Amino acid sequence: MQPMTGAPPVPGGAVALDAWRELDRRTRRELLRGGRPHPDPAIAVVAVGYARTMLARSAMRQRLPLTAAMAALVMTLAVLFALLDSNDTVIISTGVFNVLPAVLVVPFVVAARLRLRNRIVALHRMEAVNAARLWSTERTAPVPDRPLPQPPPSGAGPSHQVVIRYSRRFLLRSIAIFVAFVAVIETAVVWAEGGVLALFVTALLAVAVGLTVYNVVARTRPWLPMVIMDRAGMELPSMGARLAWAQITELRIHPYRAGRSGRKGRHHAVAFVLADPEAFRVQLAGWWAKKTRTPLSVYGTPLVIADLALDRSAEQIAGAAAMFTTAPIRRFGP
């Protein structure tokens, strides 16, 4: 399937939403579930426009249905418990009575967030696969804010490297926000409730903190370089994997939409399209292999590097790769 030679106009905003509604339900369902581009370019354009319109919405607006449903559930529980308390109805003990709202709300929130996440993943996949079908190959210009790595000097040996690292500023800010969030939640619960509910929330926070620290320290290992590029290929120290340039057939730059950053277009992701994705995945440990399932489903490749937490932009990463490989580079997105 050859890409089209030009970029057809992609609808946006209300026009994209109206065009999406005009499609029959079966077509919409197939577009969201499928991992292949639609054969009709007109429908593929509508799918891209609708996905971009929905993904461009702010994080607050995307979570609005979840927030409304959760508020309705909490209010219903509050009214029910108030009625039971006013009637002096003793059905369960006081300790369990205090914990019951959290026990009922938490599973609902988890299920709703998973549904929202699956919806966002489906929109990303629909945009990626149909955009790749529509656009022809084009070279991208480097962003002017930070200089690209300089090309190897003439006669440079195979030891010349380009190292992409995690941003210290991003890591420190993330740690500070996480610690502050945990402290505020714990303090508020202990001050307001205490007793069984405080113990329940404390246990949940302890598990969340433990899992987060384990993922960062034992798995992500942010003190290591994210990517090391040289003439032989790419090394990913955290993943424990290496790729030869011959295994990379194409580089695609996509908008990275994570909350506010995606809407403002500040961050992007580089998808390294591989000739044999499974040959790369067999190098990975169990956790990393599972982590590659989502990018493989969305972008058609297990290796996608977002510049959100890195010291280089996505275009600078692609520009560095272009010094060592002749694989084409394409950029997607508004």
Side-chain angles (χ1 to χ4, degrees), residues 117 166 210-224 226 236-241 280-296 302 304:
R117 176 188 176 278
Y166 288 96
L211 289 175
T212 302
V213 172
Y214 177 74
N215 285 334
V216 171
V217 174
R219 290 171 171 169
T220 306
R221 297 184 287 178
W223 57 87
L224 296 176
M226 177 61 188
L236 302 124
S238 296
M239 297 184 180
F280 170 73
R281 297 186 73 221
V282 296
Q283 301 182 54
L284 308 178
W287 182 80
W288 277 112
K290 291 179 181 178
K291 288 281 288 183
T292 59
R293 291 177 182 173
T294 298
L296 182 61
V304 178

mmCIF file of all heavy atoms in Angstrom, residues 117 166 210-224 226 236-241 280-296 302 304:
data_model
loop_
_atom_site.group_PDB
_atom_site.id
_atom_site.type_symbol
_atom_site.label_atom_id
_atom_site.label_comp_id
_atom_site.label_asym_id
_atom_site.label_seq_id
_atom_site.Cartn_x
_atom_site.Cartn_y
_atom_site.Cartn_z
ATOM 1 N N ARG A 117 -8.167 5.295 29.500
ATOM 2 C CA ARG A 117 -6.848 5.016 28.928
ATOM 3 C C ARG A 117 -6.981 4.212 27.637
ATOM 4 O O ARG A 117 -6.311 4.502 26.635
ATOM 5 C CB ARG A 117 -5.997 4.244 29.929
ATOM 6 C CG ARG A 117 -4.642 3.829 29.383
ATOM 7 C CD ARG A 117 -3.923 2.910 30.345
ATOM 8 N NE ARG A 117 -2.662 2.440 29.773
ATOM 9 C CZ ARG A 117 -2.553 1.429 28.929
ATOM 10 N NH1 ARG A 117 -3.638 0.777 28.529
ATOM 11 N NH2 ARG A 117 -1.369 1.067 28.456
ATOM 12 N N TYR A 166 18.300 11.515 30.459
ATOM 13 C CA TYR A 166 17.114 12.045 31.113
ATOM 14 C C TYR A 166 17.405 13.461 31.618
ATOM 15 O O TYR A 166 18.523 13.778 32.012
ATOM 16 C CB TYR A 166 16.697 11.160 32.287
ATOM 17 C CG TYR A 166 16.107 9.835 31.872
ATOM 18 C CD1 TYR A 166 16.897 8.690 31.808
ATOM 19 C CD2 TYR A 166 14.767 9.723 31.536
ATOM 20 C CE1 TYR A 166 16.366 7.473 31.424
ATOM 21 C CE2 TYR A 166 14.220 8.504 31.159
ATOM 22 C CZ TYR A 166 15.032 7.385 31.098
ATOM 23 O OH TYR A 166 14.501 6.182 30.720
ATOM 24 N N GLY A 210 5.735 2.423 47.026
ATOM 25 C CA GLY A 210 6.659 1.307 46.824
ATOM 26 C C GLY A 210 6.773 0.894 45.364
ATOM 27 O O GLY A 210 7.881 0.688 44.855
ATOM 28 N N LEU A 211 5.629 0.796 44.675
ATOM 29 C CA LEU A 211 5.653 0.415 43.260
ATOM 30 C C LEU A 211 6.338 1.483 42.417
ATOM 31 O O LEU A 211 7.100 1.168 41.494
ATOM 32 C CB LEU A 211 4.217 0.187 42.765
ATOM 33 C CG LEU A 211 3.505 -1.058 43.295
ATOM 34 C CD1 LEU A 211 2.063 -1.080 42.810
ATOM 35 C CD2 LEU A 211 4.231 -2.327 42.866
ATOM 36 N N THR A 212 6.074 2.753 42.716
ATOM 37 C CA THR A 212 6.691 3.834 41.955
ATOM 38 C C THR A 212 8.199 3.837 42.120
ATOM 39 O O THR A 212 8.949 3.939 41.139
ATOM 40 C CB THR A 212 6.114 5.189 42.397
ATOM 41 O OG1 THR A 212 4.697 5.188 42.204
ATOM 42 C CG2 THR A 212 6.727 6.321 41.592
ATOM 43 N N VAL A 213 8.663 3.718 43.362
ATOM 44 C CA VAL A 213 10.100 3.706 43.618
ATOM 45 C C VAL A 213 10.753 2.497 42.952
ATOM 46 O O VAL A 213 11.835 2.601 42.352
ATOM 47 C CB VAL A 213 10.374 3.709 45.138
ATOM 48 C CG1 VAL A 213 11.857 3.485 45.419
ATOM 49 C CG2 VAL A 213 9.910 5.022 45.749
ATOM 50 N N TYR A 214 10.094 1.352 43.019
ATOM 51 C CA TYR A 214 10.661 0.155 42.398
ATOM 52 C C TYR A 214 10.769 0.312 40.888
ATOM 53 O O TYR A 214 11.790 -0.040 40.277
ATOM 54 C CB TYR A 214 9.804 -1.060 42.733
ATOM 55 C CG TYR A 214 10.273 -2.328 42.073
ATOM 56 C CD1 TYR A 214 11.416 -2.992 42.532
ATOM 57 C CD2 TYR A 214 9.590 -2.879 40.990
ATOM 58 C CE1 TYR A 214 11.863 -4.148 41.926
ATOM 59 C CE2 TYR A 214 10.026 -4.031 40.375
ATOM 60 C CZ TYR A 214 11.158 -4.666 40.853
ATOM 61 O OH TYR A 214 11.595 -5.815 40.235
ATOM 62 N N ASN A 215 9.725 0.858 40.267
ATOM 63 C CA ASN A 215 9.759 1.043 38.811
ATOM 64 C C ASN A 215 10.863 2.011 38.392
ATOM 65 O O ASN A 215 11.551 1.797 37.394
ATOM 66 C CB ASN A 215 8.405 1.559 38.320
ATOM 67 C CG ASN A 215 7.344 0.479 38.298
ATOM 68 O OD1 ASN A 215 7.659 -0.702 38.184
ATOM 69 N ND2 ASN A 215 6.099 0.878 38.436
ATOM 70 N N VAL A 216 11.041 3.089 39.180
ATOM 71 C CA VAL A 216 12.045 4.089 38.825
ATOM 72 C C VAL A 216 13.452 3.566 39.075
ATOM 73 O O VAL A 216 14.344 3.673 38.220
ATOM 74 C CB VAL A 216 11.802 5.395 39.613
ATOM 75 C CG1 VAL A 216 12.959 6.362 39.422
ATOM 76 C CG2 VAL A 216 10.494 6.040 39.165
ATOM 77 N N VAL A 217 13.672 2.956 40.247
ATOM 78 C CA VAL A 217 15.017 2.557 40.636
ATOM 79 C C VAL A 217 15.452 1.280 39.937
ATOM 80 O O VAL A 217 16.526 1.198 39.335
ATOM 81 C CB VAL A 217 15.108 2.395 42.172
ATOM 82 C CG1 VAL A 217 16.471 1.841 42.573
ATOM 83 C CG2 VAL A 217 14.847 3.728 42.853
ATOM 84 N N ALA A 218 14.621 0.251 40.002
ATOM 85 C CA ALA A 218 15.036 -1.065 39.511
ATOM 86 C C ALA A 218 14.808 -1.243 38.019
ATOM 87 O O ALA A 218 15.466 -2.083 37.396
ATOM 88 C CB ALA A 218 14.287 -2.160 40.282
ATOM 89 N N ARG A 219 13.882 -0.500 37.425
ATOM 90 C CA ARG A 219 13.535 -0.748 36.030
ATOM 91 C C ARG A 219 13.954 0.397 35.113
ATOM 92 O O ARG A 219 14.714 0.200 34.163
ATOM 93 C CB ARG A 219 12.032 -1.011 35.915
ATOM 94 C CG ARG A 219 11.626 -2.349 36.537
ATOM 95 C CD ARG A 219 10.127 -2.486 36.612
ATOM 96 N NE ARG A 219 9.728 -3.841 36.999
ATOM 97 C CZ ARG A 219 8.504 -4.195 37.347
ATOM 98 N NH1 ARG A 219 7.539 -3.292 37.348
ATOM 99 N NH2 ARG A 219 8.222 -5.446 37.680
ATOM 100 N N THR A 220 13.461 1.592 35.375
ATOM 101 C CA THR A 220 13.776 2.715 34.490
ATOM 102 C C THR A 220 15.232 3.144 34.617
ATOM 103 O O THR A 220 15.866 3.492 33.624
ATOM 104 C CB THR A 220 12.836 3.900 34.798
ATOM 105 O OG1 THR A 220 11.490 3.450 34.731
ATOM 106 C CG2 THR A 220 13.053 5.021 33.800
ATOM 107 N N ARG A 221 15.774 3.182 35.837
ATOM 108 C CA ARG A 221 17.168 3.569 36.097
ATOM 109 C C ARG A 221 17.537 4.873 35.376
ATOM 110 O O ARG A 221 18.339 4.895 34.441
ATOM 111 C CB ARG A 221 18.111 2.444 35.690
ATOM 112 C CG ARG A 221 17.901 1.162 36.488
ATOM 113 C CD ARG A 221 18.911 0.109 36.119
ATOM 114 N NE ARG A 221 18.648 -0.455 34.805
ATOM 115 C CZ ARG A 221 19.407 -1.378 34.216
ATOM 116 N NH1 ARG A 221 20.483 -1.840 34.841
ATOM 117 N NH2 ARG A 221 19.108 -1.842 33.021
ATOM 118 N N PRO A 222 16.939 5.988 35.808
ATOM 119 C CA PRO A 222 17.131 7.255 35.082
ATOM 120 C C PRO A 222 18.540 7.813 35.150
ATOM 121 O O PRO A 222 18.843 8.776 34.437
ATOM 122 C CB PRO A 222 16.120 8.196 35.770
ATOM 123 C CG PRO A 222 15.931 7.612 37.130
ATOM 124 C CD PRO A 222 16.038 6.132 36.959
ATOM 125 N N TRP A 223 19.397 7.282 36.014
ATOM 126 C CA TRP A 223 20.776 7.769 36.044
ATOM 127 C C TRP A 223 21.592 7.263 34.847
ATOM 128 O O TRP A 223 22.674 7.771 34.567
ATOM 129 C CB TRP A 223 21.452 7.342 37.355
ATOM 130 C CG TRP A 223 21.439 5.867 37.585
ATOM 131 C CD1 TRP A 223 22.355 4.950 37.143
ATOM 132 C CD2 TRP A 223 20.455 5.115 38.293
ATOM 133 N NE1 TRP A 223 22.013 3.683 37.533
ATOM 134 C CE2 TRP A 223 20.845 3.753 38.247
ATOM 135 C CE3 TRP A 223 19.279 5.444 38.966
ATOM 136 C CZ2 TRP A 223 20.111 2.735 38.849
ATOM 137 C CZ3 TRP A 223 18.551 4.437 39.566
ATOM 138 C CH2 TRP A 223 18.955 3.110 39.505
ATOM 139 N N LEU A 224 21.070 6.253 34.145
ATOM 140 C CA LEU A 224 21.727 5.759 32.941
ATOM 141 C C LEU A 224 21.280 6.573 31.726
ATOM 142 O O LEU A 224 20.188 7.140 31.724
ATOM 143 C CB LEU A 224 21.388 4.287 32.718
ATOM 144 C CG LEU A 224 21.867 3.284 33.761
ATOM 145 C CD1 LEU A 224 21.362 1.892 33.417
ATOM 146 C CD2 LEU A 224 23.379 3.286 33.870
ATOM 147 N N MET A 226 19.523 7.330 28.290
ATOM 148 C CA MET A 226 18.358 6.721 27.649
ATOM 149 C C MET A 226 18.752 6.055 26.343
ATOM 150 O O MET A 226 18.350 4.937 26.050
ATOM 151 C CB MET A 226 17.288 7.793 27.384
ATOM 152 C CG MET A 226 16.059 7.279 26.660
ATOM 153 S SD MET A 226 15.198 6.010 27.593
ATOM 154 C CE MET A 226 13.992 5.454 26.394
ATOM 155 N N LEU A 236 20.303 0.962 24.245
ATOM 156 C CA LEU A 236 19.340 1.445 25.229
ATOM 157 C C LEU A 236 19.690 0.811 26.576
ATOM 158 O O LEU A 236 19.232 -0.291 26.887
ATOM 159 C CB LEU A 236 17.917 1.088 24.799
ATOM 160 C CG LEU A 236 17.550 1.669 23.428
ATOM 161 C CD1 LEU A 236 17.107 0.582 22.469
ATOM 162 C CD2 LEU A 236 16.476 2.725 23.561
ATOM 163 N N PRO A 237 20.524 1.466 27.376
ATOM 164 C CA PRO A 237 21.038 0.849 28.596
ATOM 165 C C PRO A 237 19.966 0.420 29.585
ATOM 166 O O PRO A 237 20.073 -0.649 30.192
ATOM 167 C CB PRO A 237 21.937 1.948 29.191
ATOM 168 C CG PRO A 237 22.330 2.783 28.019
ATOM 169 C CD PRO A 237 21.141 2.777 27.118
ATOM 170 N N SER A 238 18.918 1.237 29.776
ATOM 171 C CA SER A 238 17.876 0.864 30.736
ATOM 172 C C SER A 238 17.160 -0.411 30.315
ATOM 173 O O SER A 238 16.783 -1.244 31.151
ATOM 174 C CB SER A 238 16.863 2.002 30.885
ATOM 175 O OG SER A 238 17.473 3.146 31.433
ATOM 176 N N MET A 239 16.942 -0.566 29.013
ATOM 177 C CA MET A 239 16.268 -1.753 28.501
ATOM 178 C C MET A 239 17.207 -2.943 28.366
ATOM 179 O O MET A 239 16.757 -4.079 28.243
ATOM 180 C CB MET A 239 15.637 -1.451 27.129
ATOM 181 C CG MET A 239 14.559 -0.406 27.144
ATOM 182 S SD MET A 239 13.822 -0.222 25.491
ATOM 183 C CE MET A 239 12.602 1.060 25.805
ATOM 184 N N GLY A 240 18.504 -2.669 28.314
ATOM 185 C CA GLY A 240 19.451 -3.756 28.084
ATOM 186 C C GLY A 240 19.382 -4.280 26.664
ATOM 187 O O GLY A 240 19.533 -5.478 26.423
ATOM 188 N N ALA A 241 19.147 -3.378 25.700
ATOM 189 C CA ALA A 241 18.983 -3.803 24.300
ATOM 190 C C ALA A 241 19.866 -2.954 23.391
ATOM 191 O O ALA A 241 20.284 -1.856 23.741
ATOM 192 C CB ALA A 241 17.521 -3.671 23.876
ATOM 193 N N PHE A 280 13.665 -7.460 18.323
ATOM 194 C CA PHE A 280 14.033 -6.475 19.346
ATOM 195 C C PHE A 280 13.423 -6.836 20.690
ATOM 196 O O PHE A 280 14.083 -6.745 21.732
ATOM 197 C CB PHE A 280 13.569 -5.084 18.899
ATOM 198 C CG PHE A 280 13.675 -4.035 19.966
ATOM 199 C CD1 PHE A 280 14.909 -3.540 20.348
ATOM 200 C CD2 PHE A 280 12.531 -3.537 20.586
ATOM 201 C CE1 PHE A 280 15.011 -2.574 21.337
ATOM 202 C CE2 PHE A 280 12.623 -2.578 21.574
ATOM 203 C CZ PHE A 280 13.865 -2.092 21.950
ATOM 204 N N ARG A 281 12.183 -7.277 20.699
ATOM 205 C CA ARG A 281 11.487 -7.549 21.958
ATOM 206 C C ARG A 281 12.075 -8.732 22.717
ATOM 207 O O ARG A 281 12.001 -8.784 23.937
ATOM 208 C CB ARG A 281 9.989 -7.774 21.704
ATOM 209 C CG ARG A 281 9.265 -6.562 21.142
ATOM 210 C CD ARG A 281 7.777 -6.782 21.046
ATOM 211 N NE ARG A 281 7.161 -6.759 22.362
ATOM 212 C CZ ARG A 281 6.202 -7.585 22.748
ATOM 213 N NH1 ARG A 281 5.773 -8.527 21.934
ATOM 214 N NH2 ARG A 281 5.686 -7.485 23.953
ATOM 215 N N VAL A 282 12.661 -9.685 21.994
ATOM 216 C CA VAL A 282 13.234 -10.846 22.694
ATOM 217 C C VAL A 282 14.465 -10.454 23.514
ATOM 218 O O VAL A 282 14.880 -11.202 24.403
ATOM 219 C CB VAL A 282 13.605 -11.972 21.704
ATOM 220 C CG1 VAL A 282 12.364 -12.508 21.017
ATOM 221 C CG2 VAL A 282 14.627 -11.492 20.682
ATOM 222 N N GLN A 283 15.039 -9.283 23.244
ATOM 223 C CA GLN A 283 16.168 -8.823 24.037
ATOM 224 C C GLN A 283 15.740 -8.284 25.400
ATOM 225 O O GLN A 283 16.568 -8.138 26.301
ATOM 226 C CB GLN A 283 16.926 -7.701 23.306
ATOM 227 C CG GLN A 283 17.486 -8.055 21.951
ATOM 228 C CD GLN A 283 18.249 -6.872 21.366
ATOM 229 O OE1 GLN A 283 19.157 -6.329 21.990
ATOM 230 N NE2 GLN A 283 17.869 -6.469 20.165
ATOM 231 N N LEU A 284 14.455 -7.982 25.555
ATOM 232 C CA LEU A 284 13.975 -7.272 26.726
ATOM 233 C C LEU A 284 13.556 -8.230 27.829
ATOM 234 O O LEU A 284 13.090 -9.341 27.563
ATOM 235 C CB LEU A 284 12.784 -6.381 26.347
ATOM 236 C CG LEU A 284 13.008 -5.433 25.165
ATOM 237 C CD1 LEU A 284 11.739 -4.659 24.885
ATOM 238 C CD2 LEU A 284 14.175 -4.496 25.429
ATOM 239 N N ALA A 285 13.703 -7.763 29.072
ATOM 240 C CA ALA A 285 13.204 -8.517 30.220
ATOM 241 C C ALA A 285 11.675 -8.442 30.234
ATOM 242 O O ALA A 285 11.062 -7.692 29.475
ATOM 243 C CB ALA A 285 13.794 -7.954 31.505
ATOM 244 N N GLY A 286 11.070 -9.209 31.131
ATOM 245 C CA GLY A 286 9.612 -9.339 31.154
ATOM 246 C C GLY A 286 8.869 -8.021 31.253
ATOM 247 O O GLY A 286 7.936 -7.759 30.502
ATOM 248 N N TRP A 287 9.294 -7.132 32.187
ATOM 249 C CA TRP A 287 8.582 -5.876 32.383
ATOM 250 C C TRP A 287 8.714 -4.978 31.163
ATOM 251 O O TRP A 287 7.739 -4.379 30.712
ATOM 252 C CB TRP A 287 9.126 -5.163 33.624
ATOM 253 C CG TRP A 287 8.419 -3.888 33.946
ATOM 254 C CD1 TRP A 287 7.225 -3.753 34.597
ATOM 255 C CD2 TRP A 287 8.849 -2.556 33.628
ATOM 256 N NE1 TRP A 287 6.894 -2.418 34.723
ATOM 257 C CE2 TRP A 287 7.871 -1.663 34.149
ATOM 258 C CE3 TRP A 287 9.973 -2.026 32.996
ATOM 259 C CZ2 TRP A 287 7.990 -0.285 34.018
ATOM 260 C CZ3 TRP A 287 10.083 -0.644 32.868
ATOM 261 C CH2 TRP A 287 9.104 0.210 33.371
ATOM 262 N N TRP A 288 9.922 -4.863 30.626
ATOM 263 C CA TRP A 288 10.123 -4.026 29.449
ATOM 264 C C TRP A 288 9.394 -4.593 28.242
ATOM 265 O O TRP A 288 8.866 -3.843 27.408
ATOM 266 C CB TRP A 288 11.609 -3.876 29.147
ATOM 267 C CG TRP A 288 12.285 -2.804 29.947
ATOM 268 C CD1 TRP A 288 13.217 -2.972 30.926
ATOM 269 C CD2 TRP A 288 12.066 -1.391 29.833
ATOM 270 N NE1 TRP A 288 13.593 -1.748 31.439
ATOM 271 C CE2 TRP A 288 12.913 -0.762 30.787
ATOM 272 C CE3 TRP A 288 11.260 -0.603 29.034
ATOM 273 C CZ2 TRP A 288 12.960 0.617 30.948
ATOM 274 C CZ3 TRP A 288 11.310 0.781 29.196
ATOM 275 C CH2 TRP A 288 12.145 1.367 30.138
ATOM 276 N N ALA A 289 9.356 -5.902 28.116
ATOM 277 C CA ALA A 289 8.628 -6.509 26.995
ATOM 278 C C ALA A 289 7.143 -6.162 27.070
ATOM 279 O O ALA A 289 6.497 -5.877 26.049
ATOM 280 C CB ALA A 289 8.821 -8.024 27.010
ATOM 281 N N LYS A 290 6.589 -6.145 28.284
ATOM 282 C CA LYS A 290 5.184 -5.769 28.443
ATOM 283 C C LYS A 290 4.976 -4.289 28.133
ATOM 284 O O LYS A 290 3.948 -3.906 27.568
ATOM 285 C CB LYS A 290 4.722 -6.080 29.862
ATOM 286 C CG LYS A 290 4.626 -7.565 30.176
ATOM 287 C CD LYS A 290 4.180 -7.805 31.612
ATOM 288 C CE LYS A 290 4.116 -9.286 31.923
ATOM 289 N NZ LYS A 290 3.723 -9.541 33.337
ATOM 290 N N LYS A 291 5.954 -3.457 28.510
ATOM 291 C CA LYS A 291 5.833 -2.026 28.259
ATOM 292 C C LYS A 291 5.804 -1.700 26.775
ATOM 293 O O LYS A 291 5.288 -0.650 26.381
ATOM 294 C CB LYS A 291 7.015 -1.292 28.908
ATOM 295 C CG LYS A 291 6.948 -1.222 30.418
ATOM 296 C CD LYS A 291 5.992 -0.150 30.895
ATOM 297 C CE LYS A 291 6.535 1.237 30.659
ATOM 298 N NZ LYS A 291 5.626 2.290 31.193
ATOM 299 N N THR A 292 6.358 -2.570 25.947
ATOM 300 C CA THR A 292 6.393 -2.297 24.511
ATOM 301 C C THR A 292 5.103 -2.702 23.803
ATOM 302 O O THR A 292 4.962 -2.432 22.607
ATOM 303 C CB THR A 292 7.575 -3.030 23.856
ATOM 304 O OG1 THR A 292 7.441 -4.446 24.071
ATOM 305 C CG2 THR A 292 8.901 -2.556 24.438
ATOM 306 N N ARG A 293 4.188 -3.324 24.516
ATOM 307 C CA ARG A 293 2.939 -3.745 23.865
ATOM 308 C C ARG A 293 2.112 -2.550 23.398
ATOM 309 O O ARG A 293 1.557 -2.555 22.292
ATOM 310 C CB ARG A 293 2.115 -4.602 24.826
ATOM 311 C CG ARG A 293 2.712 -5.977 25.120
ATOM 312 C CD ARG A 293 1.865 -6.713 26.140
ATOM 313 N NE ARG A 293 2.432 -8.007 26.479
ATOM 314 C CZ ARG A 293 1.965 -8.799 27.445
ATOM 315 N NH1 ARG A 293 0.914 -8.410 28.149
ATOM 316 N NH2 ARG A 293 2.543 -9.960 27.706
ATOM 317 N N THR A 294 2.019 -1.535 24.242
ATOM 318 C CA THR A 294 1.206 -0.370 23.866
ATOM 319 C C THR A 294 1.777 0.370 22.659
ATOM 320 O O THR A 294 1.047 0.632 21.696
ATOM 321 C CB THR A 294 1.052 0.580 25.068
ATOM 322 O OG1 THR A 294 0.366 -0.114 26.119
ATOM 323 C CG2 THR A 294 0.255 1.811 24.672
ATOM 324 N N PRO A 295 3.069 0.748 22.651
ATOM 325 C CA PRO A 295 3.588 1.412 21.435
ATOM 326 C C PRO A 295 3.514 0.527 20.202
ATOM 327 O O PRO A 295 3.312 1.027 19.091
ATOM 328 C CB PRO A 295 5.045 1.749 21.796
ATOM 329 C CG PRO A 295 5.378 0.901 22.964
ATOM 330 C CD PRO A 295 4.099 0.705 23.704
ATOM 331 N N LEU A 296 3.666 -0.794 20.376
ATOM 332 C CA LEU A 296 3.549 -1.700 19.227
ATOM 333 C C LEU A 296 2.133 -1.663 18.664
ATOM 334 O O LEU A 296 1.935 -1.668 17.445
ATOM 335 C CB LEU A 296 3.930 -3.119 19.643
ATOM 336 C CG LEU A 296 3.913 -4.178 18.541
ATOM 337 C CD1 LEU A 296 4.905 -3.831 17.440
ATOM 338 C CD2 LEU A 296 4.228 -5.563 19.115
ATOM 339 N N PRO A 302 7.714 -1.388 18.596
ATOM 340 C CA PRO A 302 7.875 -1.415 20.050
ATOM 341 C C PRO A 302 8.796 -0.340 20.595
ATOM 342 O O PRO A 302 8.850 -0.132 21.806
ATOM 343 C CB PRO A 302 8.468 -2.807 20.305
ATOM 344 C CG PRO A 302 9.209 -3.125 19.045
ATOM 345 C CD PRO A 302 8.427 -2.500 17.927
ATOM 346 N N VAL A 304 9.478 3.410 20.861
ATOM 347 C CA VAL A 304 9.006 4.792 20.720
ATOM 348 C C VAL A 304 9.604 5.589 21.871
ATOM 349 O O VAL A 304 9.434 5.228 23.033
ATOM 350 C CB VAL A 304 7.472 4.872 20.755
ATOM 351 C CG1 VAL A 304 7.006 6.321 20.655
ATOM 352 C CG2 VAL A 304 6.867 4.050 19.622
#
